[in-house]
Amino acid sequence: AFDWDKSTTVHNWLQLLPPEAIAQRADLLLADAWVANYQLDVDRIRVRLSQLEAFQVAGALTEEQIGVFGFFRCIIAFWAGDIVEAHDLVEQASLAVQSSGLYAAEVQVYLAMTRYMTGARNRANAALIRGVSQNPAEDSIYNSRLSAADCFIRYFNLQTYAALNASEHIALISSLSWESKHAQAWAAHMRAMVFLNTGKLDLAIEAFCTAEKLSKNVEPRVLINSLFG
């Protein structure tokens, strides 16, 4: 797994390879699935998973790769609106996660969101608390994702100030201990959403403009600053 800020480099590298070379290696198929995930190209994720099924049937996937395979199935279900299936898939994928890091943190994000959205709010909060307690303090990428999940939960639960604090924590982590324009832009977007929903339009517009400056590092699903256009 790799962060959004590296996805363009990985994508360009994969573009240099012939399609048949990618199709013959599970690690390359998963790498392109990660790129597609950051581009929110669910159809391409679905294609890559279809190609990976042959590796799974042949027993050619590692335990970690099987977990990632299930995680991407969760993403497809999540963005198709089948939250119950997404929840079941990410619960299963979480059993194969052995460490912290980017992939483990992405699993925690979807685990918290799907638990919350299926009514298991206490379990969603428990997952975040456990993730924080088990995470090495120096793992800034993991910390940023946990803060992102916390921000989502607080925002959905109308805890606006707690959501704002979580977004500020993301911005702090991604500016000081770990440089990530993607995380900074996402934090600005979430600040804007909180301000928008509390009637602070001037602050919302300012935060949206900050996200817009980093728009190439913001997923398409959060580029809603056009509301002010």
Side-chain angles (χ1 to χ4, degrees):
F2 47 86
D3 196 21
W4 197 100
D5 300 275
K6 298 179 181 177
S7 65
T8 301
T9 300
V10 176
H11 176 68
N12 291 340
W13 179 69
L14 290 172
Q15 290 291 97
L16 298 176
L17 300 175
E20 57 271 19
I22 297 176
Q24 292 173 2
R25 290 184 51 177
D27 55 348
L28 295 181
L29 290 171
L30 286 171
D32 193 53
W34 277 110
V35 173
N37 174 50
Y38 291 127
Q39 296 174 344
L40 201 62
D41 190 343
V42 178
D43 289 336
R44 194 159 99 245
I45 296 175
R46 188 177 288 109
V47 169
R48 291 314 191 196
L49 293 191
S50 177
Q51 293 173 294
L52 282 163
E53 285 178 355
F55 291 88
Q56 184 182 37
V57 171
L61 296 179
T62 66
E63 183 177 349
E64 182 179 2
Q65 288 174 333
I66 292 173
V68 177
F69 181 86
F71 172 69
F72 280 125
R73 289 179 61 206
C74 157
I75 289 178
I76 290 173
F78 185 90
W79 292 109
D82 193 342
I83 305 303
V84 173
E85 182 180 1
H87 168 262
D88 292 343
L89 289 167
V90 76
E91 287 278 3
Q92 185 176 0
S94 69
L95 299 177
V97 176
Q98 302 295 328
S99 62
S100 60
L102 176 62
Y103 168 56
E106 289 292 316
V107 169
Q108 290 295 334
V109 170
Y110 279 88
L111 196 60
M113 288 193 299
T114 57
R115 282 177 174 177
Y116 183 88
M117 296 171 76
T118 54
R121 297 184 179 184
N122 290 336
R123 293 187 68 215
N125 291 327
L128 292 176
I129 294 172
R130 184 170 60 254
V132 171
S133 66
Q134 294 176 349
N135 177 50
E138 67 274 10
D139 193 340
S140 299
I141 295 177
Y142 192 79
N143 276 322
S144 75
R145 292 305 197 277
L146 292 178
S147 292
D150 186 46
C151 189
F152 266 123
I153 298 302
R154 303 301 182 187
Y155 180 78
F156 290 150
N157 205 34
L158 301 179
Q159 297 174 323
T160 53
Y161 292 107
L164 184 61
N165 287 337
S167 69
E168 294 289 358
H169 189 225
I170 299 169
L172 181 64
I173 293 173
S174 59
S175 299
L176 296 179
S177 56
W178 165 62
E179 182 69 21
S180 173
K181 299 297 183 184
H182 169 67
Q184 292 170 25
W186 195 91
H189 168 81
M190 287 307 299
R191 286 199 305 274
M193 292 299 297
V194 171
F195 290 140
L196 180 64
N197 283 281
T198 53
K200 300 177 181 178
L201 297 185
D202 290 342
L203 291 176
I205 293 173
E206 181 181 348
F208 274 128
C209 288
T210 299
E212 186 175 24
K213 293 177 182 178
L214 303 165
S215 60
K216 64 189 176 86
N217 295 307
V218 181
E219 295 156 294
R221 60 178 171 263
V222 301
L223 280 177
I224 67 167
N225 51 300
S226 57
L227 289 173
F228 297 99

Tab-separated table of all heavy atoms in Angstrom, residues 134-180:
chain	number	residue	atom	x	y	z
A	134	GLN	N	-3.097	1.077	20.274
A	134	GLN	CA	-2.157	0.089	19.759
A	134	GLN	C	-1.159	0.674	18.770
A	134	GLN	O	-0.232	-0.008	18.343
A	134	GLN	CB	-2.925	-1.053	19.080
A	134	GLN	CG	-3.774	-1.871	20.036
A	134	GLN	CD	-4.597	-2.926	19.318
A	134	GLN	OE1	-4.702	-2.943	18.095
A	134	GLN	NE2	-5.199	-3.820	20.095
A	135	ASN	N	-1.331	1.928	18.421
A	135	ASN	CA	-0.522	2.511	17.359
A	135	ASN	C	0.743	3.173	17.895
A	135	ASN	O	0.680	3.944	18.844
A	135	ASN	CB	-1.349	3.567	16.608
A	135	ASN	CG	-0.544	4.269	15.543
A	135	ASN	OD1	0.105	3.638	14.728
A	135	ASN	ND2	-0.575	5.578	15.561
A	136	PRO	N	1.891	2.896	17.249
A	136	PRO	CA	3.113	3.616	17.638
A	136	PRO	C	2.942	5.110	17.406
A	136	PRO	O	2.421	5.533	16.373
A	136	PRO	CB	4.171	3.031	16.701
A	136	PRO	CG	3.616	1.718	16.257
A	136	PRO	CD	2.126	1.896	16.217
A	137	ALA	N	3.358	5.922	18.353
A	137	ALA	CA	3.143	7.374	18.261
A	137	ALA	C	3.817	7.968	17.040
A	137	ALA	O	3.361	8.963	16.490
A	137	ALA	CB	3.658	8.043	19.529
A	138	GLU	N	4.920	7.337	16.588
A	138	GLU	CA	5.656	7.914	15.467
A	138	GLU	C	5.052	7.565	14.110
A	138	GLU	O	5.495	8.064	13.084
A	138	GLU	CB	7.112	7.437	15.508
A	138	GLU	CG	7.325	5.948	15.255
A	138	GLU	CD	7.186	5.111	16.523
A	138	GLU	OE1	6.746	5.672	17.541
A	138	GLU	OE2	7.501	3.906	16.483
A	139	ASP	N	4.028	6.705	14.082
A	139	ASP	CA	3.423	6.310	12.810
A	139	ASP	C	2.395	7.368	12.404
A	139	ASP	O	1.204	7.235	12.636
A	139	ASP	CB	2.768	4.936	12.942
A	139	ASP	CG	2.393	4.337	11.591
A	139	ASP	OD1	2.281	5.118	10.619
A	139	ASP	OD2	2.234	3.117	11.505
A	140	SER	N	2.882	8.432	11.769
A	140	SER	CA	2.026	9.578	11.470
A	140	SER	C	0.955	9.255	10.434
A	140	SER	O	-0.158	9.789	10.494
A	140	SER	CB	2.894	10.746	10.981
A	140	SER	OG	3.809	11.125	11.972
A	141	ILE	N	1.283	8.408	9.454
A	141	ILE	CA	0.296	8.044	8.438
A	141	ILE	C	-0.893	7.351	9.101
A	141	ILE	O	-2.056	7.676	8.846
A	141	ILE	CB	0.931	7.145	7.362
A	141	ILE	CG1	2.009	7.915	6.586
A	141	ILE	CG2	-0.129	6.615	6.405
A	141	ILE	CD1	2.738	7.089	5.559
A	142	TYR	N	-0.595	6.408	9.954
A	142	TYR	CA	-1.654	5.678	10.653
A	142	TYR	C	-2.467	6.628	11.522
A	142	TYR	O	-3.700	6.583	11.537
A	142	TYR	CB	-1.012	4.582	11.500
A	142	TYR	CG	-1.976	3.568	12.060
A	142	TYR	CD1	-2.462	2.533	11.277
A	142	TYR	CD2	-2.402	3.635	13.386
A	142	TYR	CE1	-3.323	1.586	11.785
A	142	TYR	CE2	-3.268	2.696	13.914
A	142	TYR	CZ	-3.729	1.668	13.109
A	142	TYR	OH	-4.599	0.745	13.624
A	143	ASN	N	-1.776	7.501	12.243
A	143	ASN	CA	-2.465	8.475	13.093
A	143	ASN	C	-3.401	9.368	12.286
A	143	ASN	O	-4.507	9.699	12.737
A	143	ASN	CB	-1.445	9.337	13.834
A	143	ASN	CG	-0.934	8.686	15.098
A	143	ASN	OD1	-1.684	8.041	15.809
A	143	ASN	ND2	0.344	8.840	15.369
A	144	SER	N	-2.954	9.791	11.101
A	144	SER	CA	-3.786	10.676	10.287
A	144	SER	C	-5.060	9.978	9.844
A	144	SER	O	-6.134	10.576	9.804
A	144	SER	CB	-3.002	11.187	9.077
A	144	SER	OG	-2.865	10.188	8.087
A	145	ARG	N	-4.970	8.696	9.504
A	145	ARG	CA	-6.152	7.955	9.077
A	145	ARG	C	-7.115	7.724	10.237
A	145	ARG	O	-8.331	7.779	10.066
A	145	ARG	CB	-5.735	6.611	8.471
A	145	ARG	CG	-4.991	6.707	7.148
A	145	ARG	CD	-5.787	7.493	6.110
A	145	ARG	NE	-5.302	7.266	4.767
A	145	ARG	CZ	-4.275	7.890	4.205
A	145	ARG	NH1	-3.613	8.812	4.881
A	145	ARG	NH2	-3.916	7.623	2.971
A	146	LEU	N	-6.559	7.453	11.420
A	146	LEU	CA	-7.432	7.307	12.580
A	146	LEU	C	-8.167	8.612	12.875
A	146	LEU	O	-9.351	8.617	13.220
A	146	LEU	CB	-6.622	6.872	13.797
A	146	LEU	CG	-6.020	5.462	13.759
A	146	LEU	CD1	-5.205	5.207	15.016
A	146	LEU	CD2	-7.100	4.404	13.604
A	147	SER	N	-7.467	9.737	12.736
A	147	SER	CA	-8.110	11.039	12.927
A	147	SER	C	-9.167	11.286	11.868
A	147	SER	O	-10.212	11.889	12.142
A	147	SER	CB	-7.057	12.154	12.899
A	147	SER	OG	-6.206	12.080	14.012
A	148	ALA	N	-8.911	10.806	10.639
A	148	ALA	CA	-9.903	10.944	9.566
A	148	ALA	C	-11.160	10.156	9.905
A	148	ALA	O	-12.291	10.650	9.724
A	148	ALA	CB	-9.309	10.468	8.249
A	149	ALA	N	-10.995	8.937	10.386
A	149	ALA	CA	-12.149	8.129	10.775
A	149	ALA	C	-12.906	8.796	11.915
A	149	ALA	O	-14.139	8.850	11.910
A	149	ALA	CB	-11.687	6.729	11.178
A	150	ASP	N	-12.163	9.303	12.902
A	150	ASP	CA	-12.784	9.993	14.028
A	150	ASP	C	-13.551	11.218	13.552
A	150	ASP	O	-14.658	11.501	14.022
A	150	ASP	CB	-11.709	10.398	15.032
A	150	ASP	CG	-12.288	10.993	16.304
A	150	ASP	OD1	-13.250	10.422	16.850
A	150	ASP	OD2	-11.789	12.038	16.748
A	151	CYS	N	-12.985	11.935	12.575
A	151	CYS	CA	-13.634	13.121	12.023
A	151	CYS	C	-14.962	12.747	11.369
A	151	CYS	O	-15.976	13.419	11.553
A	151	CYS	CB	-12.693	13.791	11.027
A	151	CYS	SG	-13.259	15.406	10.457
A	152	PHE	N	-14.947	11.655	10.594
A	152	PHE	CA	-16.176	11.181	9.959
A	152	PHE	C	-17.241	10.877	11.003
A	152	PHE	O	-18.398	11.319	10.884
A	152	PHE	CB	-15.897	9.902	9.154
A	152	PHE	CG	-15.609	10.145	7.708
A	152	PHE	CD1	-14.424	9.710	7.150
A	152	PHE	CD2	-16.531	10.773	6.890
A	152	PHE	CE1	-14.147	9.921	5.818
A	152	PHE	CE2	-16.279	10.980	5.546
A	152	PHE	CZ	-15.071	10.558	5.011
A	153	ILE	N	-16.864	10.096	12.006
A	153	ILE	CA	-17.830	9.675	13.029
A	153	ILE	C	-18.406	10.886	13.759
A	153	ILE	O	-19.615	10.987	13.974
A	153	ILE	CB	-17.169	8.717	14.025
A	153	ILE	CG1	-16.683	7.439	13.320
A	153	ILE	CG2	-18.129	8.371	15.153
A	153	ILE	CD1	-17.762	6.681	12.594
A	154	ARG	N	-17.539	11.805	14.152
A	154	ARG	CA	-18.008	12.999	14.867
A	154	ARG	C	-18.916	13.845	13.977
A	154	ARG	O	-19.920	14.403	14.439
A	154	ARG	CB	-16.817	13.847	15.324
A	154	ARG	CG	-15.813	13.127	16.192
A	154	ARG	CD	-16.417	12.581	17.461
A	154	ARG	NE	-15.410	11.936	18.286
A	154	ARG	CZ	-15.672	11.254	19.384
A	154	ARG	NH1	-16.921	11.108	19.798
A	154	ARG	NH2	-14.696	10.694	20.083
A	155	TYR	N	-18.556	13.960	12.696
A	155	TYR	CA	-19.340	14.766	11.762
A	155	TYR	C	-20.731	14.147	11.568
A	155	TYR	O	-21.746	14.839	11.621
A	155	TYR	CB	-18.604	14.876	10.435
A	155	TYR	CG	-19.332	15.700	9.398
A	155	TYR	CD1	-19.322	17.098	9.453
A	155	TYR	CD2	-20.032	15.088	8.362
A	155	TYR	CE1	-19.992	17.854	8.509
A	155	TYR	CE2	-20.710	15.846	7.416
A	155	TYR	CZ	-20.684	17.221	7.488
A	155	TYR	OH	-21.348	17.974	6.555
A	156	PHE	N	-20.782	12.828	11.344
A	156	PHE	CA	-22.058	12.149	11.154
A	156	PHE	C	-22.921	12.221	12.398
A	156	PHE	O	-24.144	12.200	12.320
A	156	PHE	CB	-21.833	10.674	10.786
A	156	PHE	CG	-21.263	10.472	9.411
A	156	PHE	CD1	-20.442	9.381	9.152
A	156	PHE	CD2	-21.527	11.355	8.386
A	156	PHE	CE1	-19.905	9.177	7.892
A	156	PHE	CE2	-20.993	11.166	7.124
A	156	PHE	CZ	-20.186	10.075	6.875
A	157	ASN	N	-22.263	12.296	13.563
A	157	ASN	CA	-22.980	12.309	14.841
A	157	ASN	C	-23.311	13.735	15.289
A	157	ASN	O	-23.742	13.946	16.421
A	157	ASN	CB	-22.141	11.606	15.914
A	157	ASN	CG	-22.995	11.042	17.029
A	157	ASN	OD1	-24.119	10.585	16.827
A	157	ASN	ND2	-22.465	11.076	18.246
A	158	LEU	N	-23.061	14.712	14.398
A	158	LEU	CA	-23.346	16.126	14.653
A	158	LEU	C	-22.539	16.689	15.814
A	158	LEU	O	-22.958	17.669	16.453
A	158	LEU	CB	-24.843	16.337	14.901
A	158	LEU	CG	-25.784	15.899	13.759
A	158	LEU	CD1	-27.229	16.144	14.133
A	158	LEU	CD2	-25.432	16.600	12.448
A	159	GLN	N	-21.393	16.087	16.087
A	159	GLN	CA	-20.476	16.620	17.102
A	159	GLN	C	-19.487	17.541	16.384
A	159	GLN	O	-18.343	17.183	16.125
A	159	GLN	CB	-19.759	15.472	17.823
A	159	GLN	CG	-20.701	14.567	18.592
A	159	GLN	CD	-19.990	13.356	19.175
A	159	GLN	OE1	-19.101	12.788	18.573
A	159	GLN	NE2	-20.403	12.953	20.376
A	160	THR	N	-19.966	18.728	16.046
A	160	THR	CA	-19.228	19.587	15.120
A	160	THR	C	-17.868	20.019	15.645
A	160	THR	O	-16.884	20.030	14.887
A	160	THR	CB	-20.075	20.829	14.780
A	160	THR	OG1	-20.488	21.471	15.990
A	160	THR	CG2	-21.306	20.434	13.989
A	161	TYR	N	-17.794	20.372	16.917
A	161	TYR	CA	-16.519	20.861	17.442
A	161	TYR	C	-15.506	19.726	17.568
A	161	TYR	O	-14.311	19.920	17.335
A	161	TYR	CB	-16.730	21.575	18.773
A	161	TYR	CG	-17.487	22.873	18.616
A	161	TYR	CD1	-18.803	22.998	19.024
A	161	TYR	CD2	-16.880	23.979	18.003
A	161	TYR	CE1	-19.512	24.183	18.839
A	161	TYR	CE2	-17.569	25.163	17.825
A	161	TYR	CZ	-18.882	25.257	18.237
A	161	TYR	OH	-19.590	26.434	18.048
A	162	ALA	N	-15.983	18.530	17.924
A	162	ALA	CA	-15.091	17.372	17.975
A	162	ALA	C	-14.602	17.028	16.569
A	162	ALA	O	-13.435	16.666	16.380
A	162	ALA	CB	-15.803	16.180	18.598
A	163	ALA	N	-15.487	17.144	15.573
A	163	ALA	CA	-15.085	16.895	14.190
A	163	ALA	C	-14.060	17.922	13.736
A	163	ALA	O	-13.084	17.595	13.047
A	163	ALA	CB	-16.311	16.931	13.270
A	164	LEU	N	-14.264	19.170	14.138
A	164	LEU	CA	-13.318	20.231	13.786
A	164	LEU	C	-11.949	19.963	14.416
A	164	LEU	O	-10.909	20.119	13.761
A	164	LEU	CB	-13.854	21.582	14.248
A	164	LEU	CG	-13.022	22.818	13.868
A	164	LEU	CD1	-12.909	22.946	12.352
A	164	LEU	CD2	-13.647	24.067	14.471
A	165	ASN	N	-11.940	19.529	15.667
A	165	ASN	CA	-10.681	19.220	16.339
A	165	ASN	C	-9.949	18.077	15.637
A	165	ASN	O	-8.719	18.105	15.495
A	165	ASN	CB	-10.933	18.849	17.807
A	165	ASN	CG	-11.303	20.050	18.658
A	165	ASN	OD1	-10.971	21.187	18.306
A	165	ASN	ND2	-11.993	19.813	19.757
A	166	ALA	N	-10.710	17.075	15.202
A	166	ALA	CA	-10.099	15.943	14.495
A	166	ALA	C	-9.485	16.394	13.181
A	166	ALA	O	-8.394	15.949	12.803
A	166	ALA	CB	-11.141	14.846	14.258
A	167	SER	N	-10.175	17.283	12.459
A	167	SER	CA	-9.638	17.774	11.186
A	167	SER	C	-8.373	18.611	11.412
A	167	SER	O	-7.419	18.544	10.621
A	167	SER	CB	-10.690	18.585	10.432
A	167	SER	OG	-10.961	19.822	11.088
A	168	GLU	N	-8.363	19.370	12.485
A	168	GLU	CA	-7.172	20.168	12.810
A	168	GLU	C	-5.990	19.254	13.159
A	168	GLU	O	-4.834	19.553	12.845
A	168	GLU	CB	-7.471	21.104	13.984
A	168	GLU	CG	-8.495	22.186	13.683
A	168	GLU	CD	-7.969	23.267	12.738
A	168	GLU	OE1	-6.788	23.199	12.343
A	168	GLU	OE2	-8.756	24.168	12.391
A	169	HIS	N	-6.291	18.133	13.804
A	169	HIS	CA	-5.239	17.176	14.143
A	169	HIS	C	-4.636	16.569	12.886
A	169	HIS	O	-3.410	16.387	12.791
A	169	HIS	CB	-5.814	16.071	15.043
A	169	HIS	CG	-4.772	15.170	15.618
A	169	HIS	ND1	-4.901	13.806	15.648
A	169	HIS	CD2	-3.563	15.438	16.161
A	169	HIS	CE1	-3.820	13.275	16.200
A	169	HIS	NE2	-3.002	14.239	16.524
A	170	ILE	N	-5.476	16.268	11.899
A	170	ILE	CA	-4.978	15.760	10.619
A	170	ILE	C	-4.044	16.776	9.979
A	170	ILE	O	-2.953	16.431	9.496
A	170	ILE	CB	-6.146	15.461	9.654
A	170	ILE	CG1	-7.069	14.397	10.221
A	170	ILE	CG2	-5.604	14.997	8.300
A	170	ILE	CD1	-8.366	14.254	9.455
A	171	ALA	N	-4.469	18.032	9.964
A	171	ALA	CA	-3.655	19.094	9.355
A	171	ALA	C	-2.320	19.232	10.063
A	171	ALA	O	-1.276	19.429	9.429
A	171	ALA	CB	-4.421	20.416	9.381
A	172	LEU	N	-2.346	19.125	11.398
A	172	LEU	CA	-1.116	19.269	12.167
A	172	LEU	C	-0.146	18.131	11.859
A	172	LEU	O	1.044	18.361	11.608
A	172	LEU	CB	-1.447	19.291	13.664
A	172	LEU	CG	-0.257	19.453	14.615
A	172	LEU	CD1	0.414	20.810	14.404
A	172	LEU	CD2	-0.716	19.307	16.063
A	173	ILE	N	-0.651	16.902	11.871
A	173	ILE	CA	0.198	15.749	11.600
A	173	ILE	C	0.816	15.832	10.210
A	173	ILE	O	2.017	15.601	10.015
A	173	ILE	CB	-0.607	14.443	11.726
A	173	ILE	CG1	-1.041	14.206	13.172
A	173	ILE	CG2	0.219	13.243	11.233
A	173	ILE	CD1	-1.980	13.041	13.334
A	174	SER	N	-0.017	16.179	9.221
A	174	SER	CA	0.441	16.160	7.831
A	174	SER	C	1.302	17.365	7.470
A	174	SER	O	1.859	17.422	6.383
A	174	SER	CB	-0.761	16.093	6.888
A	174	SER	OG	-1.622	17.205	7.069
A	175	SER	N	1.393	18.326	8.372
A	175	SER	CA	2.233	19.504	8.114
A	175	SER	C	3.571	19.435	8.844
A	175	SER	O	4.568	19.966	8.357
A	175	SER	CB	1.505	20.781	8.550
A	175	SER	OG	0.316	20.959	7.828
A	176	LEU	N	3.596	18.760	9.995
A	176	LEU	CA	4.797	18.769	10.822
A	176	LEU	C	5.585	17.467	10.725
A	176	LEU	O	6.710	17.436	10.237
A	176	LEU	CB	4.416	19.044	12.281
A	176	LEU	CG	3.785	20.411	12.555
A	176	LEU	CD1	3.433	20.537	14.031
A	176	LEU	CD2	4.728	21.542	12.136
A	177	SER	N	4.978	16.371	11.180
A	177	SER	CA	5.737	15.128	11.278
A	177	SER	C	5.697	14.285	10.009
A	177	SER	O	6.464	13.338	9.874
A	177	SER	CB	5.202	14.299	12.453
A	177	SER	OG	3.817	14.066	12.308
A	178	TRP	N	4.812	14.635	9.090
A	178	TRP	CA	4.672	13.818	7.874
A	178	TRP	C	4.040	14.696	6.794
A	178	TRP	O	2.922	15.142	6.922
A	178	TRP	CB	3.802	12.598	8.170
A	178	TRP	CG	3.305	11.880	6.967
A	178	TRP	CD1	4.036	11.260	5.991
A	178	TRP	CD2	1.926	11.681	6.604
A	178	TRP	NE1	3.214	10.693	5.059
A	178	TRP	CE2	1.914	10.929	5.410
A	178	TRP	CE3	0.714	12.059	7.182
A	178	TRP	CZ2	0.738	10.556	4.772
A	178	TRP	CZ3	-0.446	11.691	6.554
A	178	TRP	CH2	-0.440	10.944	5.371
A	179	GLU	N	4.783	14.953	5.734
A	179	GLU	CA	4.326	15.868	4.686
A	179	GLU	C	3.374	15.158	3.732
A	179	GLU	O	3.767	14.227	3.026
A	179	GLU	CB	5.530	16.408	3.913
A	179	GLU	CG	5.175	17.415	2.830
A	179	GLU	CD	4.674	18.748	3.391
A	179	GLU	OE1	4.967	19.034	4.565
A	179	GLU	OE2	4.003	19.481	2.648
A	180	SER	N	2.121	15.572	3.721
A	180	SER	CA	1.126	14.991	2.815
A	180	SER	C	0.153	16.067	2.375
A	180	SER	O	-0.699	16.514	3.150
A	180	SER	CB	0.365	13.847	3.487
A	180	SER	OG	-0.690	13.399	2.660
